[in-house]
Amino acid sequence: MEAINNFLLLLDSYLGSAAYFPYILLGVGIFFTLYLGFPQIRFFGHAWKVVTGKFDKKGAQGDTSHFQALSTALSGTVGTGNIGGVALAIFLGGPAALFWMWVTAFLGMTTKFVEVTLSHKYRVKTEDGTMAGGPMYYMDRRLNMKWLAVIFAIATIISSFGTGNMPQINNIAQSMEMSFGFDPMLTGGVLAILLAMVIIGGIKRIAAVTSKIVPIMGVLYVIGALSVIFYNVDQIGPSFAAIFTDAFTGSAATGGFLGATFAYAFNRGVNRGLFSNEAGQGSAPIAHASARADEPVSEGLVSILEPFIDTIIVCTLTGLVILSSGVWNQKHENTFSRTDLEIVAGNYNDSVDADRTALYHYLNGTDENTIEKFTGTIQVRDGAAVSNGYTLLHARSVAENVRFIVAGEDPYTGTLRIDNGRLMKEDIVIVGESLVHSAALTSIAFSNGFLGSAGEYIVPISLMLFAFSTAIAWSYYGDRAVVYLFGQKGVMPYRIIYVAGFFVASFADTTLVWTLSYVAIVLMTLPNLLGIMLLRREMKDTVKAYWQDFDAEQAKKKEQE
């Protein structure tokens, strides 16, 4: 299992985590932004009118309203990435990471406009009378590249489990256990039943549920976030200053307390931006293809709002909560994760400049690094280490007040063997003070507002709503990919497996699936970006024809009035 996971990580290093990937993603967004004349700005107001139904036409084909399609797509994008993903991006890349998320969202508004328009244009009606669309259909029906469509569809099915299903319920179950003491299997069982009740009803039930969940969870999260931001109102200015200073000076040296390279901050910001709003990935067009509209551009316009709401609004609120509260570069009491723990040779103190510089080079893998991983033994008495010659690093910081615990809450006494920086004894739990990241960091930040410690409960509740709605939306994405590959007969088996996987992941290790999803996301994104670039002229002509028809209709209405 570990060998497979390492292979997938290696493969991802040549794909999503590769240096070229952010430039391709942003490059396509820049191209279409210029090629179509900044549609995310020029058409923004019109998009709001379309989503409210102002220009709806009777008899238009489709399964959902514009608002329901937008809600379904938003439920797929507004998820754990908006809560834990932003915190992780800031932790790894500093405040500058949020700036690059904004850039990705701004350009992504155009990319999503293009991919949704083209996918809606080449959608089809399935055997059961519902609509099916997505990049695989324009790849097949317009570009005659069925092989590319098949790759995209397979990657979509994998991503439905690795992005929208297993990690979501795993995060929910862990959060509910830590915050309320609920057994993960119980959480998974209850939510799996609810998930089955929703997705078996198809897109109409999915849209009906998400159109109610999305506004509720949005209002709850916004109120909680503003309670922290306004409580720390004097830090709003400095927070924005840090974001732009790090981005434009190229320092970005505040990520992870001990620092991150500028390239690392850029890469993480762009990748987290994609993970959050999915612009360019080709997933949201599948939801938008269900909308009742005969003009593909009208639904493309609706999709412009998606990255704006998801990233410019929700992710920014999370970022400001974390930055204004000041918790992102402070150490907090926590239980150490083995994946974030490293033990290095030598004694280091991250309050000493020379030590900070040495640790910076080690953590960022620069050529100037002189630190080596520790191999040897640690002597422990009553939970505290009594030997030296090593330093515990957790979450890119020097751990303090460390205790070693075994068998529940009993302090450990004895010898611990360390091999190449890793603790060999599996039943030892390490507790201490260090930096934290992801949803745990966001939870701490939410407790630093007008609501006090009660504010941290907003995160697990929001996380449950965000993640559950994401699982609902991604079930539909995988559903339509199955229809493309196998026809309607494959839908019910897929839904059963999807619900079963959702339940199992609530208490099982999802590392392998999560790693596999990194690869699958890129195998969705790269073919989709290639496809929309090949159809750039058709996109421009389609947009031009839409506005000509729209202007003619509006002129006719004025004459009749």
Side-chain angles (χ1 to χ4, degrees):
M1 187 72 74
E2 184 177 352
I4 297 175
N5 191 62
N6 290 337
F7 170 75
L8 291 172
L9 287 172
L10 176 63
L11 184 60
D12 177 62
S13 68
Y14 292 100
L15 295 172
S17 296
Y20 69 82
F21 183 69
Y23 293 98
I24 292 178
L25 185 67
L26 295 184
V28 172
I30 291 171
F31 171 80
F32 276 110
T33 293
L34 298 175
Y35 188 63
L36 299 177
F38 290 86
Q40 68 270 64
I41 296 176
R42 292 194 297 130
F43 306 153
F44 188 77
H46 183 80
W48 283 107
K49 295 178 181 178
V50 173
V51 80
T52 59
K54 183 175 182 178
F55 306 118
D56 283 0
K57 296 179 181 178
K58 292 182 179 180
Q61 293 191 58
D63 308 312
T64 63
S65 67
H66 288 298
F67 177 73
Q68 288 177 326
L70 176 63
S71 296
T72 301
L74 274 173
S75 69
T77 57
V78 178
T80 56
N82 298 79
I83 297 177
V86 176
L88 181 61
I90 292 175
F91 167 78
L92 292 173
L98 188 59
F99 173 82
W100 293 115
M101 291 184 75
W102 290 341
V103 172
T104 304
F106 178 75
L107 298 174
M109 291 167 74
T110 300
T111 305
K112 188 152 289 193
F113 171 54
V114 175
E115 63 183 355
V116 168
T117 299
L118 292 172
S119 294
H120 195 284
K121 185 175 183 178
Y122 290 100
R123 64 180 181 169
V124 300
K125 182 173 285 189
T126 64
E127 299 169 19
D128 66 353
T130 58
M131 307 305 295
M136 57 274 198
Y137 285 97
Y138 77 69
M139 291 173 185
D140 189 340
R141 301 180 67 207
R142 178 64 179 86
L143 292 174
N144 296 316
M145 301 172 71
K146 189 173 180 64
W147 61 273
L148 193 63
V150 169
I151 291 176
F152 179 88
I154 293 173
T156 300
I157 294 173
I158 295 173
S159 289
S160 73
F161 286 95
T163 299
N165 182 319
M166 294 183 168
Q168 303 296 336
I169 184 58
N170 196 264
N171 281 329
I172 294 174
Q174 290 181 10
S175 180
M176 290 294 107
E177 183 180 29
M178 286 189 294
S179 300
F180 305 107
F182 295 160
D183 183 88
M185 190 174 292
L186 175 63
T187 301
V190 172
L191 291 182
I193 292 172
L194 293 176
L195 178 66
M197 293 171 63
V198 174
I199 70 174
I200 289 176
I203 183 57
K204 292 184 178 179
R205 187 179 297 172
I206 289 172
V209 172
T210 56
S211 64
K212 292 179 176 62
I213 291 180
V214 169
I216 291 173
M217 69 187 194
V219 170
L220 172 67
Y221 195 71
V222 168
I223 291 175
L226 292 179
S227 74
V228 177
I229 294 170
F230 285 117
Y231 182 81
N232 300 285
V233 66
D234 60 318
Q235 293 301 311
I236 296 177
S239 296
F240 277 107
I243 293 168
F244 288 104
T245 299
D246 274 9
F248 290 117
T249 63
S251 61
T254 47
F257 193 74
L258 291 170
T261 63
F262 173 74
Y264 196 67
F266 170 74
N267 188 290
R268 288 299 169 183
V270 173
N271 279 336
R272 299 312 302 186
L274 170 63
F275 179 72
S276 179
N277 61 55
E278 298 175 12
Q281 186 176 338
S283 51
I286 300 174
H288 285 285
S290 68
R292 286 189 294 270
D294 292 330
E295 306 93 348
V297 173
S298 67
E299 190 58 29
L301 290 169
V302 171
S303 70
I304 283 177
L305 305 176
E306 200 178 314
F308 177 80
I309 296 172
D310 174 270
T311 306
I312 303 298
I313 295 180
V314 181
C315 287
T316 298
L317 286 173
T318 303
L320 288 178
V321 165
I322 293 168
L323 294 176
S324 66
S325 64
V327 301
W328 67 282
N329 57 5
Q330 298 172 355
K331 295 180 181 181
H332 305 275
E333 178 82 8
N334 68 103
T335 300
F336 294 175
S337 166
R338 291 294 183 102
T339 56
D340 282 340
L341 178 68
E342 293 183 272
I343 304 175
V344 298
N347 297 309
Y348 295 93
N349 186 331
D350 51 20
S351 63
V352 177
D353 288 342
D355 288 355
R356 286 177 61 86
T357 300
L359 290 168
Y360 170 87
H361 291 304
Y362 171 76
L363 292 171
N364 290 287
T366 70
D367 293 336
E368 299 174 63
N369 173 49
T370 58
I371 297 177
E372 296 182 354
K373 294 181 179 179
F374 178 73
T375 295
T377 59
I378 295 178
Q379 301 299 320
V380 180
R381 184 181 302 123
D382 292 328
V386 294
S387 56
N388 55 30
Y390 54 84
T391 301
L392 269 72
L393 301 179
H394 183 256
R396 297 174 66 86
S397 61
V398 175
E400 299 177 6
N401 299 319
V402 177
R403 284 104 60 205
F404 297 88
I405 300 171
V406 67
E409 298 182 356
D410 297 328
Y412 176 76
T413 296
T415 301
L416 296 175
R417 186 167 63 87
I418 311 299
D419 185 12
N420 197 32
R422 296 297 177 187
L423 176 63
M424 293 292 99
K425 192 172 178 56
E426 294 294 332
D427 60 345
I428 291 291
V429 175
I430 305 177
V431 178
E433 296 176 6
S434 73
L435 295 181
V436 296
H437 58 75
S438 301
L441 176 59
T442 310
S443 292
I444 294 171
F446 266 82
S447 66
N448 284 261
F450 287 113
L451 299 177
S453 59
E456 66 181 81
Y457 293 111
I458 291 177
V459 172
I461 294 172
S462 297
L463 187 64
M464 182 183 70
L465 292 173
F466 283 23
F468 184 65
S469 65
T470 297
I472 293 173
W474 270 94
S475 73
Y476 180 67
Y477 299 160
D479 179 308
R480 297 297 90 178
V482 167
V483 168
Y484 174 77
L485 291 172
F486 307 109
Q488 199 65 33
K489 65 180 182 296
V491 171
M492 191 53 68
Y494 166 79
R495 290 174 179 171
I496 292 172
I497 296 172
Y498 191 86
V499 172
F502 188 77
F503 171 66
V504 171
S506 66
F507 55 86
D509 183 5
T510 61
T511 302
L512 182 61
V513 177
W514 190 228
T515 306
L516 181 61
S517 74
Y518 290 149
V519 177
I521 287 172
V522 182
L523 292 180
M524 291 177 68
T525 305
L526 292 180
N528 182 50
L529 295 179
L530 171 63
I532 63 177
M533 284 298 294
L534 292 175
L535 294 176
R536 60 191 181 279
R537 291 183 180 177
E538 180 173 336
M539 178 63 194
K540 193 169 190 176
D541 292 341
T542 302
V543 173
K544 183 178 180 181
Y546 170 80
W547 285 112
Q548 288 176 341
D549 292 343
F550 178 81
D551 291 340
E553 287 181 11
Q554 296 304 303
K556 187 176 180 179
K557 284 183 179 179
K558 286 184 178 180
E559 289 179 3
Q560 292 175 345
E561 293 174 356

